[in-house]
Structures are given as C-alpha cells and as structure tokens.
C-alpha cells in the first residue's frame, strides 16, 4: 500500500493570501472607471469582519465557542460578559465611568434581536446615566473593549469578576480542556 503524499500549507500563509486577494479586489472606481480609493470610514480591519467600533443592532445571540462552550454574543458576534459585582434582584449595573469605558454596556433598543435564547430571560435595566442596558436573567451585559474580533474572550476571568454569559444567564467558568472533555465524553 502506497502512502498518500499531501501538501501542507501553513494557515498564516493562507490567511495572508486571502487578505491580499480581498484587498486587491475591493474599493470603488474613480473617474472614467479607473481604479480609485474607496471610503475607509468605519471599515473593519479584516474584510468581512464587523468593525469592533461599529454600533451593533441591540440584541443577544447564542453561540458556541470550541474552547468555552455556549456563550452569548451581541448581533455582531462579540462576546457579552456579566459582572459578579452587579446585582440581579433588582437588576443594577455597578460598572460606571472608567469601568464602562473598558466594559461597554450592551445597549437595549425597541427592535431587540433575540436568537437562540429564551426571550423571557432577556430584559433591560436603566443605568445611572439614564441609558437602557440589556440584561440576561437579571444580569446586566457588557462588551469588553479589548475584544477586537467576534469570538474573542479576552475578558474571561478578569479581576475574578468578569465572565462570558451563557444563554441561560449563568457565567462561563470552564477551561478549554474541561469543556472539551465533558462535551466529547472523554
């Protein structure tokens, strides 16, 4: 039996080729159809990825991360966190001013998008500054300003008080190995 020979292309090389191809094929035409520079205002850093500075439509979505399991994201796919120093009954945010610049309150709105989560668990709380913030099972929800891309979880365990929210409102405490072992039954 002859072994099959396979070529291996490193992932960074593939990603660089995709980014280069996308960069060469996007933009707008200039005068008379000549190549021109498109507007870059509000453009995402990676083609096809949401701009982390863009305001997402208000809402929550259930997602699964391979390393942490089920989590809650905003409508752009950015991880939503809960803060152990907040209160649930009644719901109250205890993250304001400097804290709220790093931990951005998830804004509520009239056209709330809820996907894969029991709508009865989703609510709002009025913050001290008068804005409405999304809650899940009573816990106010936040985005971490350091999460640069959808699926990032750089705030996991920060200050032993910040954790990604699960779709039932509880917090993610599992490590990659624990969740994978439980999920795969190993």
């Amino acid at each position: 039996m002859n072994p099959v020979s396979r070529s291996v292309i490193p992932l960074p090389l593939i990603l660089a080729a995709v980014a280069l191809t996308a960069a060469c094929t996007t933009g707008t035409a200039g005068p008379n159809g000549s190549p021109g520079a498109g507007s870059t205002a509000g453009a995402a850093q990676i083609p096809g990825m949401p701009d982390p500075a863009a305001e997402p439509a208000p809402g929550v979505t259930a997602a699964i991360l391979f390393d942490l399991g089920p989590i809650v994201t905003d409508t752009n796919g950015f991880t939503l966190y809960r803060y152990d120093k907040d209160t649930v009954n009644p719901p109250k945010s205890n993250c304001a001013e400097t804290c709220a610049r790093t931990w951005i309150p998830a804004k509520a709105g009239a056209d709330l998008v809820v996907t894969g989560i029991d709508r009865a668990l989703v609510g709002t709380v009025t913050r001290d500054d008068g804005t409405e913030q999304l809650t899940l099972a009573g816990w106010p929800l936040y985005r971490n300003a350091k999460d640069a891309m959808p699926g990032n979880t750089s705030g996991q365990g920060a200050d032993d008080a910040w954790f990604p929210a699960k779709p039932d409102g509880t917090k993610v405490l599992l490590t990659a190995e624990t969740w994978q072992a439980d999920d795969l039954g190993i």
Side-chain angles (χ1 to χ4, degrees):
M1 186 167 173
N2 293 332
V4 177
S5 175
R6 291 192 175 116
S7 298
V8 177
I9 301 172
L11 182 60
L13 183 59
I14 293 170
L15 293 176
V18 169
L20 181 59
T21 302
C24 292
T25 59
T26 59
T28 58
N32 302 323
S34 63
S39 170
T40 58
Q45 294 176 343
I46 298 174
M49 297 302 277
D51 183 350
E55 191 72 33
V60 289
T61 300
I64 295 180
L65 293 182
F66 185 71
D67 59 342
L68 295 177
I71 65 161
V72 176
T73 68
D74 66 14
T75 55
N76 281 346
F78 287 91
T79 303
L80 292 176
Y81 297 84
R82 52 173 268 187
Y83 184 39
D84 282 351
K85 295 181 182 177
D86 284 344
T87 59
V88 176
N89 195 9
K92 178 163 177 27
S93 170
N94 289 310
C95 176
E97 299 173 13
T98 304
C99 175
R101 285 192 283 279
T102 300
W103 299 95
I104 304 161
K107 290 191 168 62
D111 297 326
L112 189 64
V113 177
V114 178
T115 307
I117 296 172
D118 182 355
R119 194 166 186 80
L121 294 176
V122 180
T124 63
V125 63
T126 303
R127 296 176 51 78
D128 290 342
D129 63 6
T131 60
E132 292 291 314
Q133 182 175 0
L134 279 175
T135 63
L136 183 60
W139 290 98
L141 298 175
Y142 306 83
R143 235 195 78 209
N144 186 336
K146 294 179 183 177
D147 286 350
M149 294 177 51
N152 284 166
T153 55
S154 61
Q156 166 72 5
D159 299 325
D160 291 325
W162 292 96
F163 300 93
K166 291 183 181 183
D168 63 0
T170 59
K171 61 186 175 183
V172 172
L173 290 175
L174 303 175
T175 63
E177 295 79 21
T178 304
W179 181 75
Q180 291 170 5
D182 290 345
D183 188 55
L184 299 175
I186 297 174

